[in-house]
Amino acid sequence: MASTPAIATLSSRPSSAKPLVRVENVVKYFPAGRGQSVKAVDGVSFEIRQGETLGLVGESGCGKSTLARLVTQLIPVTSGKIFIGDVELTKLRGEKLRQQRRQLQVIFQDPFASLDPRMTVGDIIAEPLDNFKVMRGKARDQRIQELLRLVGLNPNFDNRYPHEFSGGQRQRIGIARALALNPSLVVCDEAISALDVSIQAQIVNLLEDLQRELKLTYLFIAHDLSVVRHISDRVMVMYLGKIVEVADSTQTYTNPKHPYTKALLSAIPVPDPKVQRGRRLVELTGEIPSPLHPPSGCRFHTRCPIARLPAPCAETEPPLEEKDRDHLAACHFSSDV
């Protein structure tokens, strides 16, 4: 029987800070016909403390975006609990859930697809205000211009349409929309991956400035581990629906405890040809298993360079537990990493 994952509570913020978001043993299965299910998220537990940035990394298909949609309750859980403050979101329905969603906003990956091309920028940014009927008339117009200034855009652009802006500018519009209702948590779901590298740096710097100014809390999802290291207080590594490592950002990058994390880090290019040539790349053999039929025991054992088969790696699921002070990992042989 699989063990229940530990709740990852490590934070570089003060330990007395109360968790803003608490996720307890959340599961999300999608029906796939013939009695089968895609196990997108399978027993995940963690906390996000007020004012911190939690980075979430992993390969495509590991369940990162599904987890983001569960946290914001854009899709319902199969089982488990999600709290924001003392309120259990997974128990709410209808208007009560809608009102709680004011605290949870998302910056989406594609700035071209996430903005309605038929709406002006002003109407796009004001859509949350109109939806919850919090501002009208002059106050609404002033709030739109305030948000445009906040994200570094000309407030007089509110009557333009999305096609008149570059990709980076469109993402700034998406950020302004996400901030319209003063949310407690902002989920950045691959918010920079569709942008040019130079623009990525500008958006990351903007997000950091906004966090300091507005005391925001982020769940930051990305493929680029170097960016995640720069912006995150903690890093959470996900593989095939499971959390396999959680630690302070510095510890994750300097002293990984899981072989999957080490493989991801070894793939980050170094902008120095001599250093890059001398690095040892951790190569993973085989394909990522199907979430329809995940492997028994440790889900990473089919690709793991230090797996011992059949026991215990193929037979027993390793618990997410403390391997070093405030450093959690789900590996039977983390000392060999």
Side-chain angles (χ1 to χ4, degrees):
M1 184 175 178
S3 57
T4 301
I7 295 181
T9 59
L10 165 68
S11 176
S12 62
R13 306 287 176 178
S15 58
S16 59
K18 186 177 180 180
L20 173 66
V21 177
R22 187 156 40 97
V23 175
E24 296 182 358
N25 203 29
V26 161
V27 172
K28 181 61 182 179
Y29 292 170
F30 293 101
R34 299 183 180 180
Q36 300 184 99
S37 296
V38 174
K39 299 173 177 60
V41 175
D42 201 3
V44 167
S45 301
F46 64 92
E47 292 177 352
I48 308 176
R49 296 194 179 275
Q50 182 75 44
E52 79 165 342
T53 298
L54 175 63
L56 177 58
V57 300
E59 292 169 293
S60 294
C62 70
K64 304 187 301 298
S65 292
T66 299
L67 184 56
R69 283 158 173 75
L70 292 170
V71 169
T72 53
Q73 283 295 278
L74 294 178
I75 56 176
V77 300
T78 300
S79 64
K81 299 178 180 179
I82 299 172
F83 296 85
I84 180 161
D86 296 324
V87 178
E88 184 180 344
L89 294 176
T90 42
K91 275 188 174 181
L92 301 180
R93 297 292 183 273
E95 183 62 19
K96 290 183 178 180
L97 176 59
R98 178 177 172 272
Q99 290 299 326
Q100 286 297 323
R101 281 208 185 102
R102 293 177 61 169
Q103 302 183 62
L104 307 165
Q105 297 296 320
V106 184
I107 303 169
F108 295 99
Q109 176 178 355
D110 189 349
F112 295 90
S114 61
L115 305 180
D116 191 332
R118 299 165 298 179
M119 297 173 67
T120 65
V121 166
D123 287 339
I124 289 171
I125 294 173
E127 193 170 15
L129 305 175
D130 297 339
N131 190 18
F132 286 95
K133 298 180 173 59
V134 295
M135 286 183 185
R136 292 181 180 176
K138 188 175 180 180
R140 175 185 181 273
D141 296 338
Q142 289 175 342
R143 179 60 173 163
I144 293 168
Q145 294 190 339
E146 176 191 350
L147 288 164
L148 285 169
R149 288 192 194 95
L150 197 62
V151 299
L153 292 176
N154 189 323
N156 296 321
F157 287 173
D158 60 341
N159 61 348
R160 296 190 179 186
Y161 289 85
H163 72 270
E164 299 179 69
F165 295 88
S166 67
Q169 290 174 322
R170 292 188 194 194
Q171 196 60 293
R172 289 173 186 265
I173 295 166
I175 293 171
R177 178 178 58 185
L179 298 179
L181 294 171
N182 297 314
S184 301
L185 175 73
V186 178
V187 176
C188 306
D189 187 9
E190 301 277 7
I192 63 170
S193 62
L195 305 175
D196 293 340
V197 174
S198 60
I199 305 302
Q200 288 182 6
Q202 294 177 22
I203 297 299
V204 168
N205 290 336
L206 172 63
L207 290 171
E208 290 183 319
D209 292 342
L210 291 171
Q211 184 175 43
R212 285 190 294 269
E213 184 175 346
L214 304 177
K215 303 188 186 320
L216 297 171
T217 303
Y218 292 141
L219 174 59
F220 189 86
I221 302 171
H223 283 95
D224 190 334
L225 275 75
S226 58
V227 173
V228 172
R229 180 179 188 176
H230 175 77
I231 197 173
S232 301
D233 299 299
R234 290 186 298 150
V235 177
M236 186 162 66
V237 183
M238 195 169 187
Y239 181 80
L240 207 62
K242 294 278 189 181
I243 302 300
V244 297
E245 185 161 4
V246 189
D248 174 88
S249 178
T250 302
Q251 283 296 311
T252 301
Y253 286 80
T254 59
N255 187 28
K257 297 294 185 182
H258 197 281
Y260 178 61
T261 307
K262 189 171 184 179
L264 290 178
L265 294 174
S266 76
I268 301 175
V270 176
D272 185 329
K274 292 182 180 180
V275 175
Q276 180 67 21
R277 281 195 296 269
R279 297 176 72 211
R280 188 175 71 87
L281 179 66
V282 179
E283 296 186 12
L284 301 179
T285 59
E287 298 292 329
I288 302 175
S290 169
L292 275 170
H293 305 289
S296 60
C298 174
R299 294 192 175 184
F300 187 58
H301 83 260
T302 58
R303 304 171 70 199
C304 182
I306 63 169
R308 301 180 191 179
L309 303 175
C313 295
E315 296 180 355
T316 306
E317 180 183 342
L320 182 64
E321 59 186 4
E322 194 170 66
K323 300 296 184 179
D324 204 348
R325 183 179 178 182
D326 297 328
H327 195 147
L328 307 178
C331 180
H332 293 298
F333 303 105
S334 59
S335 59
D336 296 340
V337 174

